[in-house]
Amino acid sequence: MSFSITLPDGSKKDFTDAVSISDLAHGIGTSLGKAALGAKVNGQIVALDYKLSKNAEVAIITDRDEEGLAILRDTVAFVLEAVAKKAYPEIHFGEHGTDDEGFYVDTDKENQIKINELPDLEKAVKKVIKAGEKIASCMMSKDELADIFNDDPYKSEMLKAEKGDQVQVYKLGDFIDFGFDALLPNTGKIKQFKLLSVAGAYWKGQSSNPMLQRISGTAFFKKADLDADIKRREEIKERDHRTIGRDLDLFFVDPKVGAGLPYWMPKGATIRRVVERYIIDKEVADGYQHVYTPVLMNVDAYKTSGHWAHYRDDMFPPMDMGDGEMLELRPMNCPSHIQIYKHHIRSYRELPIRIAELGMMHRYEKSGALSGLQRVREMTLNDGHTFVTLDQVQSEFSKILTLILDVYKDFDITDYYFRLSYRDPKNTKKYFANDEMWERSQSMLKKAMDDMGLDYVEAEGEAAFYGPKLDIQTKTALGADETMSTIQLDFMLPERFNLTYVGQDGEEHRPVMIHRGIVGTMERFIAYLIEIYKGAFPTWLAPVQVEIIPVNLDAHSDYAKKVRDELNKRGFRAEADLRNEKLGYKIRESQTQKVPYTLVLGDKEIKDKGVNVRRYGTEEEVAKSFDEFISEIKQDVKSYSREE
């Protein structure tokens, strides 16, 4: 038997006997042998004791590789399972895994693991690490494993999904588990780790399944990396829109009455209403006709549009109305706006026709993917569709982009870049086949961006199934890359829905459809704003703009109410704190609620017909006349709280 191993640099090593990954790495170099954590064999991650016996392409994995970090985190997850099983013999295990954030292990027992139990589990894991215990791997038959896991319904179900009669398992003492690509050979190689949280997680991410307890953690090779990650997580926690939304009483989601369905509390609804009014006014001023369309539509419309074929898994099941009609909760608004366009015969003189809507949509997100306002099942999209002639495409594209950038200025969004998203010509399943259309529309987008002198990146495979698009990618407060706005060219839907307009020649012509979203969904956009501002909204967006506090309830409440009423009459959002609490407590509470202006009113303010003003984030108090304060807050709101 002879075989060759091809290394990443193209060199080859020949062998006559089977060789382990560990021996191969040592044979290449002593330092590589010591650093090796596993390998990729023909693209598959394997452990150090994996035996090579035939031709293969092999890349040794070290702590410098992403795969090395995954091996480390998988190993900690495995050790965590082992110590949890020892601490709680009755425990069952669901899924485990790693990602960019760390690792997780799903567990189930009568009294689920609580957050205050993590320190003891962490201490037990550290003890095993210190002992440097061996982690062995071997192959076992499914029948043997079925006996071992016969009392664990989750492991038994996962075992059935394993391919073949033999399954690779890992052992730590008496503990056995499967489902890991590769683990470290002994626990002593684990470096830095931290158990972070416990949370509910449905078995296989489906709400119809049992709720398990997910233990999450992270691990790194260097302490500095772990410290930096923990610091980053603290920043995330401070900015987490779910936490801020709870603390400021903006919204809530209750899985008992509907997972992924947010309830907007009065303050959150106020922020949303301000944003919606702003967007509608901007769009109307820019020539859009705002409409309302139903959230239900015959499923045949989505079959015509292609959404049914491409996004069926993300759509709710159709509702059988009993008379042969099947209605679908709409997952997007474009077919609805197409119906608005088709309702009348259109002339070239009318084009461009701009239709916009704050359109409610529903998408079936799996329970495990739901997250606050960012991933929901019901959402309202700031949606718009423009119907243009072919020679109007470029000018309309520029007009839409100018509107988007104007909105960004008002919201002080500055960290973004442009991405031209093209089809992947090899992916004939996702993208409809019409090479001429794709080439034409992609070149149109590119020319429009070039003519505007804007820099952009190009991304193959990111287009919508019906056409290429410009995506404006923003950085969230937590550093994630997210699509905020999009402009999409579409030659396909006008064809499928037989859209026409009467041209100057009296003949019917096909319009081009431009899909655009300025700030995406209200839910995700407000989550973005909450995290960017840490809940301290600029005055024009703040749910309560002015908090009025009387020094003495008996002596100063009437004046406080008078000031509140006058501010409300002038269009500002003001409240008076008339609770029977100490003055200092009320002032601190106003700061905690991040109200832009706090007015403290006592004898002097009544005498001078003025106010004592304290801005959020400062301890400075400034006496002003009422008219001076009105001028200040009016300018603050008018300028969108920007420093001019």
Side-chain angles (χ1 to χ4, degrees), residues 218-446:
T218 193
F220 290 90
F221 291 104
K222 296 178 181 178
K223 186 176 185 301
D225 292 336
L226 178 62
D227 291 343
D229 186 67
I230 291 172
K231 184 177 180 181
R232 179 185 66 86
R233 289 173 188 274
E234 289 172 353
E235 173 72 9
I236 289 174
K237 191 174 180 181
E238 286 182 12
R239 290 187 181 272
D240 191 324
H241 78 279
R242 295 166 297 183
T243 303
I244 296 172
R246 181 197 64 219
D247 293 345
L248 299 185
D249 200 23
L250 303 179
F251 72 93
F252 70 88
V253 179
D254 186 348
K256 294 178 182 177
V257 293
L261 302 174
Y263 285 73
W264 295 85
M265 297 299 284
K267 289 182 179 178
T270 297
I271 299 167
R272 173 172 170 162
R273 189 164 53 250
V274 171
V275 173
E276 289 180 343
R277 287 173 175 170
Y278 166 87
I279 288 294
I280 290 173
D281 289 346
K282 275 282 188 184
E283 291 177 336
V284 169
D286 213 44
Y288 285 87
Q289 302 172 70
H290 258 262
V291 300
Y292 294 101
T293 58
V295 297
L296 290 169
M297 181 176 268
N298 194 300
V299 71
D300 289 341
Y302 298 110
K303 290 179 180 178
T304 300
S305 69
H307 291 113
W308 182 255
H310 288 275
Y311 297 120
R312 185 174 179 177
D313 291 343
D314 297 325
M315 298 166 70
F316 280 92
M319 290 172 273
D320 189 342
M321 305 309 292
D323 57 0
E325 185 179 25
M326 302 291 286
L327 294 182
E328 175 69 38
L329 281 169
R330 68 178 177 192
M332 50 273 300
N333 304 311
C334 19
S336 301
H337 292 182
I338 285 172
Q339 298 309 311
I340 296 280
Y341 179 89
K342 288 186 70 173
H343 190 64
H344 296 298
I345 296 172
R346 304 294 184 174
S347 163
Y348 74 95
R349 297 181 187 278
E350 298 176 74
L351 273 58
I353 291 175
R354 304 180 183 97
I355 298 171
E357 179 179 13
L358 293 172
M360 184 180 290
M361 312 183 305
H362 294 80
R363 295 182 183 174
Y364 179 69
E365 296 276 3
K366 291 184 178 180
S367 297
L370 299 173
S371 177
L373 295 176
Q374 288 177 325
R375 293 293 290 273
V376 293
R377 287 176 172 164
E378 179 183 274
M379 64 216 75
T380 299
L381 181 64
N382 161 225
D383 210 359
H385 297 90
T386 304
F387 301 87
V388 298
T389 65
L390 190 61
D391 59 4
Q392 292 172 336
V393 167
Q394 191 167 334
S395 61
E396 187 64 18
F397 175 89
S398 300
K399 182 179 178 65
I400 293 169
L401 184 52
T402 299
L403 174 61
I404 290 172
L405 297 183
D406 191 36
V407 171
Y408 280 19
K409 180 182 177 185
D410 290 342
F411 282 98
D412 198 26
I413 299 171
T414 57
D415 193 356
Y416 60 86
Y417 67 93
F418 300 111
R419 182 182 76 188
L420 287 183
S421 297
Y422 304 143
R423 69 160 175 170
D424 177 358
K426 298 175 185 176
N427 190 344
T428 55
K429 186 176 180 181
K430 178 179 178 181
Y431 302 110
F432 82 99
N434 187 326
D435 291 342
E436 182 184 354
M437 185 288 296
W438 282 103
E439 293 301 324
R440 185 184 204 180
S441 54
Q442 287 176 179
S443 64
M444 278 183 169
L445 274 185
K446 186 175 174 62

Side-chain angles (χ1 to χ4, degrees), residues 25-62:
H26 278 92
I28 295 172
T30 303
S31 59
L32 182 62
K34 290 180 179 179
L37 304 174
K40 287 175 72 174
V41 177
N42 297 328
Q44 177 67 41
I45 297 176
V46 300
L48 287 173
D49 60 0
Y50 180 85
K51 294 283 189 178
L52 298 163
S53 58
K54 57 185 178 180
N55 294 343
E57 294 182 356
V58 178
I60 303 299
I61 296 171
T62 71

Side-chain angles (χ1 to χ4, degrees), residues 606-622:
I606 293 175
K607 179 183 176 183
D608 296 341
K609 295 182 180 180
V611 292
N612 186 287
V613 184
R614 179 172 177 169
R615 294 293 300 265
Y616 171 73
T618 72
E619 295 185 3
E620 182 183 13
E621 296 180 355
V622 181

Side-chain angles (χ1 to χ4, degrees), residues 110-141:
E110 186 173 347
N111 295 309
Q112 298 284 36
I113 292 174
K114 299 178 179 61
I115 188 71
N116 59 8
E117 297 175 75
L118 291 191
D120 288 338
L121 285 173
E122 192 171 287
K123 189 182 297 183
V125 172
K126 287 180 178 178
K127 186 176 180 181
V128 175
I129 292 172
K130 188 175 181 181
E133 296 183 30
K134 181 180 179 181
I135 299 174
S137 69
C138 66
M139 303 298 292
M140 292 182 68
S141 72

